[in-house]
Amino acid sequence: GTIKRTSLDAYSNPRKAGIIAITLEHGDELIEALISDGKGEILLMTRQGKAIRFPEEQAREVGRSARGVRGIRLGKGDAVMAMTLAQKDAELLTVTTLGFGKRSPVEEYRLQSRGGKGIINIKVTQKNGEVVGAKTVSDKDEVMLITHDGMMVRSPVKDIRSTGRGAQGVRLINMKGKDRVASVARVAPKDEEAEESALPKPAAAEASEAPEAVEGAPAPEKKAAPKARAQAPKSKPKTRAVAAKTKRKK
């Protein structure tokens, strides 16, 4: 549940072996990193269905090697599974390990102070499983789910019913046996028609269009064809030998 904020200038001198981005405690791991303007709002979602929303300014700016500050107070056996920026008029899509998901408006997650226990994000039961990921989405986006056994499903976000925070969601993918959802990703749609219409007209096509003749205008004068000149026999070009060397592996 730890979060830290560092200026990008601190990463301006990278090394071949990498540089320290955060100091982790024993048993802890980094789950996500985002680029922001420092004035937004952060959303943290946990495995047991909790979420907290707080201003980004409450996390003071520290150096690269700092441990950070507490973002959310976790319960026993709980862990942070996702982090995202709260966007206006967006919705939060939450997915569980057994293939269930739901989306709720971001406005339903009230603004709190950093370090609290959070509020209910999704109802976690034996039917839908624990939270595996969460993304901020809109009706124009698509969502992609991938399981541990390599199964994948892609569906429009608008097909997922929008519900309140306390719902357990609807089934997004059918799980077989002991398979579980491993990851969730947001897929932005491609507007191919808009891209094609925005392309400029090729110059070759414009040059090929001949101007129309104007009635009553004098015909252009025809220039006499230049006389053919006797061409001297071309000398044979000199040839050069090019050798390529290959290095044998020792």
Side-chain angles (χ1 to χ4, degrees), residues 37-126:
D37 57 0
K39 300 179 181 179
E41 297 174 352
I42 301 295
L43 270 169
L44 300 179
M45 284 66 65
T46 72
R47 180 186 298 162
Q48 295 180 359
K50 294 286 186 178
I52 188 171
R53 176 185 177 184
F54 59 89
E56 185 182 348
E57 295 177 347
Q58 291 186 359
R60 66 181 184 274
E61 186 175 326
V62 294
R64 289 190 296 104
S65 59
R67 295 178 181 269
V69 294
R70 187 187 300 275
I72 184 172
R73 189 177 299 275
L74 299 173
K76 186 178 180 180
D78 203 359
V80 177
M81 301 302 295
M83 176 185 70
T84 184
L85 294 174
Q87 301 175 2
K88 188 179 179 181
D89 299 331
E91 291 184 307
L92 182 64
L93 174 66
T94 306
V95 181
T96 62
T97 55
L98 295 181
F100 281 74
K102 76 168 189 71
R103 60 187 178 112
S104 302
V106 174
E107 287 76 10
E108 292 194 7
Y109 299 83
R110 68 178 185 271
L111 203 61
Q112 297 179 274
S113 297
R114 176 187 59 81
K117 292 185 177 180
I119 57 178
I120 296 177
N121 175 34
I122 186 173
K123 186 177 181 181
V124 174
T125 62
Q126 294 182 354

Side-chain angles (χ1 to χ4, degrees), residues 160-174:
I160 305 174
R161 187 174 71 248
S162 181
T163 59
R165 292 187 295 102
Q168 69 177 11
V170 295
R171 186 178 296 278
L172 303 180
I173 182 174
N174 293 321

Side-chain angles (χ1 to χ4, degrees), residues 173-234:
I173 182 174
N174 293 321
M175 310 303 297
K176 296 181 180 179
K178 296 183 179 181
D179 194 11
R180 296 293 183 270
V181 176
S183 179
V184 54
R186 182 184 68 90
V187 182
K190 294 182 179 179
D191 195 356
E192 297 179 354
E193 295 181 0
E195 293 178 357
E196 292 178 359
S197 61
L199 293 177
K201 191 174 181 180
E206 296 179 357
S208 61
E209 296 179 357
E212 296 181 358
V214 181
E215 186 177 356
E221 298 179 357
K222 295 183 180 181
K223 296 182 180 180
K227 297 181 179 180
R229 297 181 181 178
Q231 296 181 356
K234 296 182 180 180

Side-chain angles (χ1 to χ4, degrees), residues 12 17 55 84 90 152 215 239:
S12 58
T84 184
M152 186 269 292
E215 186 177 356
T239 59

